[in-house]
Amino acid sequence: EWKSHRVALKSTFPEGWSPPRKLSREAMDGLRDMHKLDPAKFSTPILADRFKISPEAVRRILKSKWEPPQEK
């Protein structure tokens, strides 16, 4: 299953994933919070339109669990 997914991603993004517009960490947190608040109202296409990024970028942001290390 993961092999077919990997092949599909390779065919969709032959040079790899490099979005033309990147969001700040605060914007990503806001996007996640909006989706967590009401997933039906703030679906992937709606968030993509509101933040002016691709639906694939929204999907990846929502899927990601990475947080920057807390520095003192």
Side-chain angles (χ1 to χ4, degrees):
E1 183 177 311
W2 65 270
K3 284 184 180 182
S4 63
H5 179 66
R6 186 161 173 85
V7 169
L9 286 177
K10 282 282 189 188
S11 65
T12 306
F13 305 107
E15 289 96 35
W17 174 250
S18 180
R21 184 164 186 275
K22 295 177 172 60
L23 294 179
S24 67
R25 176 67 43 198
E26 291 80 21
M28 285 188 221
D29 290 340
L31 187 143
R32 285 188 193 106
D33 290 342
M34 290 171 74
H35 183 73
K36 192 184 303 182
L37 181 67
D38 189 357
K41 184 178 177 184
F42 298 112
S43 63
T44 300
I46 292 170
L47 289 171
D49 187 49
R50 181 169 287 191
F51 284 88
K52 306 289 189 257
I53 58 176
S54 70
E56 177 65 14
V58 172
R59 186 189 68 76
R60 287 173 181 246
I61 290 168
L62 292 175
K63 183 178 145 186
S64 170
K65 303 290 186 221
W66 184 84
E67 289 290 326
Q70 296 292 328
E71 295 181 9
K72 295 182 181 179

